[in-house]
Amino acid sequence: MTTPNHPTMSGTTVQQEDIAPGIGQGIDRVDGPAKVQGRASYAAEHSLGQRPLEGWIVEASVPAGLITNIDCSEAERCEGVVRVLTHENVPEQMLYGDPADAGRFGQSHAVMQGRGIRYHGYPVALVVAETLEQARHAAKRVRVEIDSAEVRVAVGASDRSFEELWQHPELQTPESLDGGLEPDAASGDFESQWSEAVHKVDVCYQTPNQVSAAMEPHATIASYDGDKLTVYCSLQVIASAVEGLANTLKLDPAKVEVNSPFVGGGFGSKLGIHNDAVLACLATMVLKRPVRVVQTRRNVFSNAPHRGSSMQHIRLGMDASGKLVAIGHDSIMPAAHGYPFAEATGACARASYSAAGIRSRHRVLPVNMPVLDSTRAPGDAIGTLAFEAAIDEAARVCGIDPLDFRLNNMPDKHPVNGQPFSSHDLAGCLREGAERFGWARRSKAEAGARKLKGFGMASAVRVNMLVKSAAEVELDRTGAVVVRTDMTDIGTGSYTILAQIAAAELGLRVDDVTVKLGRSTFPTSSGSGGSFGAGSTGSAVQAACQNLRRELIKHLNEAPQCAHLSKNAIDSAQLSGGRILVDNESFSVQSLLESADLDTLCAQGQIEPGEDHDNYAQSSWGAHFVEISVDRDTAEITVDRITTVVSAGTIFNQKTAASQVKGGVVWGLSYALREELMLDERYGAFMNRDLAEYHIPVNRDVPDIDCHFRIQADFRSNPLGSKGIGELGICGAGAAIANAVFDATGVRVRHFPITLDKILEKWEAEAG
């Protein structure tokens, strides 16, 4: 049961084999059997002791206005209907957006509060019936009359340049960006460096509205007994959901219990509560019966968060040798009225490469749209899509190989704030990725071949964070251990890696550890999001295990059966199969706890950011290399192979980590070639609100992905030496594909996604 001698938070870089035994092994998910056998209950599947009533959302057909009349009489007469909730009969709620200091997750998420419409698809009624079919049938009979108002639903238009939009009178500077970054940041004199640059790239990239649409839709079952509100919801962060519901419904947080033990994907869209949760809670508070509200797939496209479109103006200036001297990145995105969220699209421009003058600015334009919020790797996902494509343009303008261009511009400290890096391995990822991919040996297709060949590459950078977290560990008389924390598992493997960490710290088998997650009654953790969940909560579990070991040693020193043993021998005790091994003797855990008059032994642990997160710039690093084929006649694009190399500190589980990275790479491919949430600006409505018309890659679109880890633990990140990995895969992957498309076709598409019509149009124009 010895604890590895970690140089905690010291910044020492070590290899995986130097980390606690058991951590890093690619074991299968411990929750896998429960999932495949149907024993893992997701939000809509929980039982609250009584069959729940079913709620169906009635959506507004305009993006803004006032309800002048709502007639529910016909719906209320339908078979099975128990109640139709509208703004006229829902319980009182705190004003939407209050309190001002609660942040976007803790603020009131009031729904149907007054007659106002916030966006197309906004709930105007909730039909509650005995069955889902009855609720759906009756919902079609709710008559709503709305006096429409003038609205803004889009950031830019095809006939308006970025410069014109930058001068828009209603453009705002957000108070802060997601992740706590400042909206504007600079180092050196960008304008003077730009004016003196020998080579220049001055381009505008655009990305469309996008949505995550996780496999499990947003869903909630709520029950209220007049005193306590119990909620089962599909969530990523439990504690903020308790705060958000308590504020919204004007309840004591101590009277709100939120549970989310299994989540079928989130990708940021479930960081906080949304309309399904609030509506289910309002209904159960009125009816005093459990109520279930499950968003349909079409609901998810309007009543759950999405990623807003972006316009990114990028200016890169180089000297005669190809050294970057000026990096400028300005971004404009929409922001939903009353919801304080802005993506840090320029974060990658601030952290990736050195330059004498760097300037990054962010502006938002308020719109009447559904909530805009985190979507996987907020900011960096679409920021790197544009920025790393522009870097490729810069390399070509200078006549330098794109790999060499990046390597020649590596920073030795953070390019903007000047802090030293806790560790910096971008160059290592680029070099190793190039070697594994065969970048130096790439060759074009033969003349006259039907398929054009293209090669592209890009860097991947994602900020690394640590969030205050706590966990509890309990040892019972059989020698088994239970870990409790309100951390969630959104399909990423939290159950498994926390079991591995506890087993490694206590010298147990993973099978001896049971992990219990996703309940607000458990110690408060970071939750899942921002790539901080594993490192933050894992470090809390590690600390709890270390404290448990100290308690165990204390009781061993006091136990009569250990009186003849030396302190050194007791200090090196190990757990194994329900027994404690001390020197050449062993004692049952049961006998020790009995002698201490204990049924179980418990300990808690916690972690929070310290000086290393104040004084060092922290990021995870990676590199992507891609080969594609493009049909000469149809311009159809096929991605043939992808190599990705990642440096993210300690890897807890090779199998789940590779799954995370590969999933992110597929997202990057999708952003480059497929995804576009199409907006009808006349009505503020998304036109492709389903997975038939919102295009994503299928199996035949995705090649084998060669994913490799450069494992170098960074103990300035956390005591386990890990860094965030879940979002890194998406960063830069799309840009590598975009760069390969240009390499193959000579067409630089700056308005994503890259569809064949955009290439054909350019080819036709060039052909005259």
Side-chain angles (χ1 to χ4, degrees), residues 7 53 73 238 276 300 305 362 428 439 471 484 526 632 646 675 714 741 745 768:
L53 298 170
S73 57
I238 299 294
D276 56 288
V300 167
H362 297 77
W439 180 257
R484 297 184 186 90
S526 63
R632 286 181 182 271
V646 166
E675 292 189 48
D714 183 348
V741 170
T745 66

Side-chain angles (χ1 to χ4, degrees), residues 708-722:
H708 179 71
F709 297 108
R710 289 173 56 83
I711 303 172
Q712 299 177 337
D714 183 348
F715 292 108
R716 287 196 176 102
S717 172
N718 58 56
L720 289 163
S722 69

